[in-house]
């Protein structure tokens, strides 16, 4: 076909290919309207908003849909392959990548199709890893092999992904075309913090900082408040902390605003961790954090950066309100940007409650970088540890606390852990110091401090360290082939099981309309609404207050506690509510 440019930056060949895609997608939408895919609810709307719309924007004039036939899932798969092959071309426009990303996401969700990921990887093998910032549109990520959520858990990552940056997508973090519907603009705010790099000279190290880059994550001010000061000037007092602590803060700065210099020379190669695998982290209620030097471009050129910016790590706006688009400026805090809330009645694992792998890694790094080297009991024990030992320990704790099988998949599971202790002849003093300092590291790292989590966390450290002590003795014969242990809340003491005595903003129960005096009572309509989510959580270790069979079986005991004022856990019910429950029992406990 002809390669004559059409005047809009596309060749006639690719323009014709896009027309064919639009026609096929339009026909598939009509087929889905008649025979929707049960496994992909909303697929027709997604195709219209995120495939046809961006492709149609590239083609002058309307395009009529093509009459199609055959199984809709196969039509979807064929369309995805065609779009993916075109998106892998060096001249592929942003709209084509956006369409390919939506199609690949839908194809990945087709059930029982293990052939799809390798085929798409083959079709898109020529794509270089990088992110395009589509003007007034999504972030278009190509070749993003590692995408994780805020807990460090892997997120499904097709070869091309379109990430929402307007903040309005209903399928966050992925784009659903909302930016076009709301008229999103990617312009920077003229009132943003100026681009200016400050220098703070300290006794051991000089801190370099550009407030115009800062995403206000609070990691520096929360963890090293003697050096970094929130809401006061100067922002940095570079002699207020140890050199290793300041270096750690600069390396951990997710926006890339911080760096440091020694003897007048910036140590950028120390701040930018060149060995990190390119990774996109979708933070909770916050920005995308990019690490590993992922290229960032727009309109075929590098996105302009502020003075001193890191190209190895940076934060991209996800709420749509940043003053420094596409980079995060911390506005998500002020606009109350939130991700969809998970089921509040689902009990969190210890891994989730702790903050996932990042929080546990932060703890293990503090322990092995700060506390172990200065401790006379532990320093000799860990002097020869591998450079990735903190990652190994965080992976083990993640798996033990109910997270993904990070340790088993990467390091070898139970047998590998046991091998690290054999013949070490650990002492009780070393064991106790390990528990004490790791607990102190967890406190400093900002792990949850509620009684329930700390009881479970310290209980595991005590239990696990005593097992390690046994296994390290010369006459020990640890049982082979054991699974990695899974730790849980202690004695069912979970975060939702009680009301803190220090709570001041306890949400009031929504008003419950009580039944009339002569109204026939039923559990689902009249009794279940009497019990709040908190009431259910506090009693779930015995029975479920939202399950008819459980409440019917234990009704007399529940009534006795209601009448005595010992249930719910935060105060007695009004007499009229207790009377409704008693009348339900007397009238046969209908479901």
């Amino acid at each position: 076909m002809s390669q004559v440019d059409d005047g809009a930056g596309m060749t006639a060949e690719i323009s014709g290919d896009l027309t064919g895609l639009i026609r096929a997608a339009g026909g598939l939408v009509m087929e889905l309207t008649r025979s929707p895919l049960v496994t992909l609810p909303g697929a027709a709307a997604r195709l219209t908003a995120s495939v046809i719309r961006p492709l149609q924007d590239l083609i002058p004039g309307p395009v009529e849909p093509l009459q199609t036939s055959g199984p809709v899932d196969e039509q979807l798969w064929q369309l995805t392959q065609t779009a993916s092959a075109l998106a892998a071309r060096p001249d592929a426009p942003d709209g084509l990548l956006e369409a390919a990303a939506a199609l690949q996401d839908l194809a990945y969700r087709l059930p029982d199709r293990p052939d799809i990921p390798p085929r798409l990887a083959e079709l898109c093998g020529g794509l270089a890893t990088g992110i395009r910032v589509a003007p007034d549109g999504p972030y278009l990520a190509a070749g993003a092999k590692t995408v994780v959520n805020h807990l460090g858990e892997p997120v499904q990552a097709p070869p091309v992904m379109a990430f929402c940056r307007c903040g309005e997508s209903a399928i966050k973090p992925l784009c659903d075309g909302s930016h076009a519907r709301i008229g999103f603009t990617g312009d920077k705010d003229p009132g943003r913090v100026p681009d200016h790099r400050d220098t703070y000279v300290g006794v051991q190290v000089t801190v370099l900082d550009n407030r115009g880059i800062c995403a206000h994550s609070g990691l520096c001010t929360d963890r090293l408040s003697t050096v970094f000061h929130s809401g006061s000037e100067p922002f940095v007092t570079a002699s207020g902390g140890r050199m290793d602590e300041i270096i750690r803060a600069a390396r951990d700065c997710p926006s890339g605003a911080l760096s440091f210099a020694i003897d007048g020379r910036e140590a950028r190669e120390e701040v930018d961790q060149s060995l990190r695998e390119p990774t996109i982290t979708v933070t909770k209620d916050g920005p995308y954090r990019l690490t590993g030097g992922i290229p960032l471009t727009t309109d075929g050129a590098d996105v302009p950066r502020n003075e001193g910016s890191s190209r190895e790590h940076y934060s991209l706006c996800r709420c749509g309100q940043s003053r420094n688009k596409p980079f995060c400026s911390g506005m998500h805090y002020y606009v109350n940007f939130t991700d969809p809330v998970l089921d509040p009645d689902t009990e969190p694992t210890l891994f989730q409650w702790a903050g996932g792998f990042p929080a546990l890694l932060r703890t293990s790094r503090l322990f092995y970088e700060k506390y172990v080297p200065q401790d006379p009991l532990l320093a000799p024990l860990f002097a020869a540890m591998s450079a990735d030992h903190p990652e190994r320990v965080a992976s083990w704790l993640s798996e033990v606390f109910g997270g993904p099988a990070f340790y088993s998949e990467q390091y070898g599971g139970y047998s590998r852990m046991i091998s690290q202790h054999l013949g070490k002849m650990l002492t009780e003093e070393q064991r106790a110091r390990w528990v004490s300092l790791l607990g102190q590291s967890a406190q400093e790292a900002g792990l949850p401090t509620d009684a329930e989590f700390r009881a479970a966390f310290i209980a595991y450290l005590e239990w696990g360290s005593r097992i390690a002590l046994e296994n390290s003795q010369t006459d020990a014969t640890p049982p082979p082939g054991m699974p990695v242990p899974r730790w849980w809340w202690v004695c069912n003491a979970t975060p939702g099981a009680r009301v803190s005595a220090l709570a001041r903003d306890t949400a009031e129960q929504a008003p419950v309309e009580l039944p009339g005096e002569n109204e026939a009572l039923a559990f689902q309509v009249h009794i279940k609404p009497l019990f709040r989510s908190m009431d259910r959580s506090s009693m779930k270790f015995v029975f479920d207050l939202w399950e008819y069979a459980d409440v019917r079986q234990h009704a007399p005991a529940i009534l006795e506690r209601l009448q005595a004022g010992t249930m719910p856990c935060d105060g007695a019910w009004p007499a009229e509510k207790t009377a409704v429950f008693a009348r339900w029992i007397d009238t046969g406990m209908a479901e």
Side-chain angles (χ1 to χ4, degrees):
M1 295 183 68
S2 170
Q3 291 292 315
V4 177
D5 193 286
D6 67 358
M10 292 189 300
T11 63
E13 178 181 353
I14 197 169
S15 180
D17 290 331
L18 298 184
T19 300
L21 283 177
I22 296 170
R23 295 191 68 202
L28 180 54
V29 168
M30 291 192 300
E31 286 289 324
L32 285 168
T33 303
R34 291 190 292 265
S35 305
L37 274 171
V38 176
T39 55
L40 294 176
R46 183 87 182 278
L47 288 169
T48 301
S50 295
V51 178
I52 296 175
R53 191 266 313 154
L55 293 176
Q56 186 68 74
D57 287 347
L58 299 169
I59 302 295
V63 177
E64 292 297 321
L66 178 70
Q67 294 293 329
T68 61
S69 61
V72 290
D73 55 345
E74 283 304 316
Q75 291 186 52
L76 172 62
W77 176 222
Q78 291 303 318
L79 182 61
T80 302
Q81 292 181 84
T82 303
S84 298
L86 291 171
R89 295 170 47 155
D91 58 347
D94 291 347
L96 175 54
L97 262 70
E98 183 180 346
L103 286 166
Q104 289 186 12
D105 178 55
L106 288 170
Y108 259 50
R109 298 173 191 274
L110 289 173
D112 304 319
R113 292 299 302 267
D115 58 312
I116 287 178
R119 176 58 178 158
L120 290 180
E122 178 186 354
L123 288 171
C124 300
L127 281 170
T129 299
I131 292 180
R132 291 191 197 179
V133 182
D136 302 334
Y139 301 113
L140 301 168
K145 295 181 175 60
T146 304
V147 182
V148 298
N149 63 16
H150 71 285
L151 297 173
E153 299 170 313
V155 173
Q156 179 176 270
V160 182
M161 304 180 73
F163 289 99
C164 171
R165 74 172 178 126
C166 72
E168 295 297 323
S169 173
I171 55 172
K172 298 181 184 74
L174 300 182
C175 170
D176 69 353
S178 291
H179 58 279
R181 174 178 55 82
I182 67 173
F184 171 75
T185 174
D187 295 341
K188 294 181 183 291
D189 188 325
R192 65 188 180 277
V193 176
D195 175 13
H196 175 73
R197 203 178 200 198
D198 295 306
T199 300
Y200 301 92
V201 180
V203 172
Q204 293 181 299
V205 63
T206 295
V207 176
L208 306 173
D209 172 65
N210 189 331
R211 296 287 81 201
I213 305 172
C214 182
H216 300 281
S217 66
L219 300 187
C220 57
T221 53
D222 291 347
R223 299 174 191 172
L224 195 55
S225 58
T226 57
V227 175
F228 303 98
H229 311 284
S230 178
S232 64
E233 292 295 335
F235 173 62
V236 178
T237 48
S239 298
R242 297 184 335 209
M243 178 187 291
D244 64 320
E245 293 177 323
I246 295 173
I247 291 174
R248 185 185 299 110
R251 288 166 65 91
D252 287 347
C253 174
S255 67
L258 291 176
S259 186
F260 68 91
I262 297 177
D263 295 333
R265 186 187 72 84
E266 182 178 3
R268 171 58 71 184
E269 73 281 0
E270 297 297 329
V271 178
D272 292 347
Q273 302 170 54
S274 59
L275 297 181
R276 285 199 284 196
E277 180 180 3
T279 300
I280 301 173
T281 300
V282 184
T283 67
K284 186 177 186 299
D285 304 333
Y288 302 103
R289 290 178 180 165
L290 291 297
T291 54
I294 300 175
L296 187 69
T297 61
T298 187
D299 288 330
D302 286 345
V303 172
R305 313 283 183 116
N306 284 5
E307 181 186 3
S309 294
S310 170
R311 292 178 179 269
E312 190 274 335
H313 57 277
Y314 51 91
S315 296
L316 294 177
C317 172
R318 192 157 77 90
C319 70
Q321 304 297 318
S322 172
R323 293 184 171 182
N324 189 34
K325 301 185 186 96
F327 302 102
C328 173
S329 69
M331 285 299 293
H332 52 279
Y333 293 116
Y334 302 101
V335 300
N336 295 318
F337 175 74
T338 57
D339 286 305
V341 179
L342 300 177
D343 183 359
D345 299 316
T346 300
E347 212 168 73
T349 63
L350 291 170
F351 170 78
Q352 293 168 331
W353 192 256
F357 179 78
L360 295 169
L361 178 59
R362 192 163 65 244
T363 298
S364 63
R365 279 180 175 165
L366 276 169
F367 176 67
Y368 288 107
E369 293 174 9
K370 179 177 180 179
Y371 290 107
V372 166
Q374 64 188 16
D375 186 83
L377 279 174
L378 298 183
L381 189 63
F382 292 103
M385 67 180 173
S386 61
D388 67 344
H389 193 75
E391 285 80 2
R392 292 171 181 262
V393 172
S395 296
W396 174 267
L397 291 175
S398 293
E399 188 167 345
V400 168
F401 288 160
F406 290 149
Y407 192 87
S408 293
E409 293 171 357
Q410 299 177 48
Y411 305 112
Y414 172 84
S415 59
R416 168 69 181 179
M417 175 59 74
I418 293 301
S419 71
Q420 301 306 294
H421 298 127
L422 294 177
K424 289 293 197 302
M425 289 295 293
L426 302 177
T427 66
E428 169 57 25
E429 290 76 17
Q430 288 172 323
R431 184 207 67 79
R433 187 69 57 82
W434 185 88
V435 171
S436 174
L437 293 182
L438 193 53
Q440 187 171 334
S441 300
Q443 182 83 10
E444 188 173 333
L447 264 63
T449 58
D450 57 276
E452 291 77 15
F453 176 76
R454 283 309 168 102
F457 182 74
I458 297 300
Y460 173 72
L461 296 188
E462 286 286 346
W463 181 85
S465 64
R466 292 174 191 275
I467 300 298
L469 179 65
E470 290 180 5
N471 292 339
S472 73
Q473 305 310 307
T474 54
D475 57 347
T477 55
M482 295 289 287
V484 173
R486 289 284 178 151
W487 209 250
W488 200 242
W489 300 98
V490 176
C491 296
N492 290 294
T494 59
R498 68 182 178 93
V499 176
S500 170
L502 300 177
R504 291 293 179 268
D505 296 318
T506 302
E508 295 292 331
Q509 180 183 8
V512 176
E513 186 175 346
L514 298 179
E517 186 176 345
N518 298 317
E519 188 174 349
L521 300 181
F523 176 78
Q524 297 294 339
V525 177
H526 303 109
I527 303 304
K528 180 180 176 180
L530 298 178
F531 297 107
R532 302 164 300 175
S533 175
M534 185 182 69
D535 303 330
R536 182 193 187 199
S537 297
S538 66
M539 296 303 297
K540 207 169 182 181
F541 72 101
V542 181
F543 49 73
D544 191 339
L545 287 170
W546 286 1
E547 288 293 331
Y548 169 72
D550 280 6
V551 176
R552 180 184 176 91
Q553 179 182 351
H554 299 281
I558 295 173
L559 178 60
E560 183 178 347
R561 293 194 60 179
L562 290 172
Q563 292 172 332
T566 59
M567 181 181 169
C569 58
D570 60 338
W573 268 6
E576 56 270 24
K577 285 180 64 176
T578 304
V580 169
F581 189 84
R583 183 157 66 88
W584 175 69
I585 295 175
D586 293 339
T587 55
M589 296 185 285
E591 185 174 6

